[in-house]
């Protein structure tokens, strides 16, 4: 019997299947194959078993996005499995968890690798989402030459930029903010390359979302600042992974077909409070 009329299998790549990555996967994964990728293979296998128990079709591939060869191997696997219709980049580390160097290699360089590599395999009509952070809006805009360099520097040369040298950055908090601003800017420029394949890519910049990563931050040295954030923000609360997933699913879906290269800030009003002078940066 011919397979000529069999539908092409749709592949959704989920890089960083933590709380937010999994919430997005559940929103968009029904009827598709989810390919989970994370540095921690054990965590990925646990997430995969959970999703399989909920009825999703899931595969796993260990991937450290700070390693270009591993990102290329992930893209090759995805393309061999079927049509790569959606890519979710939700991997990252937090200022409390990581050194300046690790933050730059994972959150900044790793995301740039994902944008570059998947621009070559994303299917026509496909879409990608990068989970950035309100931190990228906290210290921005940076001087024009810095923003231009973050947006357009060849990926292999990114970490050679003078202002990205650890001794110039000073702290992991600033490294995180720079990395997340770079995510937004790289999405904007990557949208042109993705567009050549008839695909879109956007970013979403959440505020404080209650996840294990966020709980590390909330119990860390910036605990008091986060409590002030909750009190001062318009929403008067922190967010949930499901809220981020709803926004991401919209940006990945057909209704957002005219949106690409954008960054959706969803922080409950924290950045607004900063701009209004009701809150200061930590």
């Amino acid at each position: 019997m011919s397979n000529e009329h069999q539908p092409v299998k749709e592949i959704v790549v989920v890089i960083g299947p933590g709380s937010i990555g999994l919430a997005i996967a559940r929103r968009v994964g029904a009827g598709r194959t989810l390919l989970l990728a994370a540095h921690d293979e054990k965590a990925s296998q646990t997430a995969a078993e959970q999703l399989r128990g909920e009825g999703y079709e899931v595969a796993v591939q260990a991937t450290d996005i700070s390693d270009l060869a591993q990102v290329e191997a992930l893209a090759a696997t995805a393309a061999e499995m079927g049509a790569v219709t959606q890519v979710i980049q939700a991997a990252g580390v937090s200022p409390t968890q990581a050194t300046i160097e690790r933050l730059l290699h994972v959150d900044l360089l790793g995301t740039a690798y994902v944008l570059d590599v998947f621009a070559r395999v994303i299917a026509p009509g496909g879409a990608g989402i990068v989970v950035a952070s309100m931190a990228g809006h906290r210290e921005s805009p940076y001087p024009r030459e810095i923003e231009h360099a973050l947006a357009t520097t060849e990926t292999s040369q990114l970490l050679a930029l003078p202002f990205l040298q650890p001794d110039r950055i000073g702290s992991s908090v600033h490294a995180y903010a720079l990395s997340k601003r770079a995510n937004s800017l790289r999405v904007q420029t990557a949208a042109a390359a993705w567009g050549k394949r008839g695909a879109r890519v956007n970013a979403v910049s959440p505020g404080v979302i209650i996840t294990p990563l966020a709980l590390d931050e909330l119990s860390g040295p910036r605990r008091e600042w986060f409590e002030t954030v909750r009190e001062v923000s318009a929403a008067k609360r922190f967010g949930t992974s499901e809220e981020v997933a709803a926004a991401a699913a919209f940006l990945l879906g057909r209704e957002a077909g005219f949106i690409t290269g954008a960054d959706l800030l969803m922080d409950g009003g924290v950045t607004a409070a900063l701009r209004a002078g009701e809150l200061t940066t930590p």
Side-chain angles (χ1 to χ4, degrees), residues 18-28 50-51 54 56 204 206 208-211 237-250 264 266:
S19 298
I20 291 174
L22 281 179
I24 301 172
R26 288 188 177 96
R27 286 268 181 162
V28 302
Q50 188 177 344
L51 287 168
E54 297 169 11
Y56 295 93
V204 59
V208 183
I209 306 298
I210 299 303
T211 66
R237 65 176 177 86
F238 297 141
T240 68
S241 295
E242 278 302 316
E243 288 174 301
V244 181
F250 165 71
L264 174 61
M266 50 175 304

Side-chain angles (χ1 to χ4, degrees), residues 64-85:
D64 178 352
I65 62 168
S66 69
D67 183 331
L68 176 58
Q70 292 191 41
V71 177
E72 289 175 333
L74 176 66
T77 296
E80 287 168 7
M81 291 171 63
V84 183
T85 55

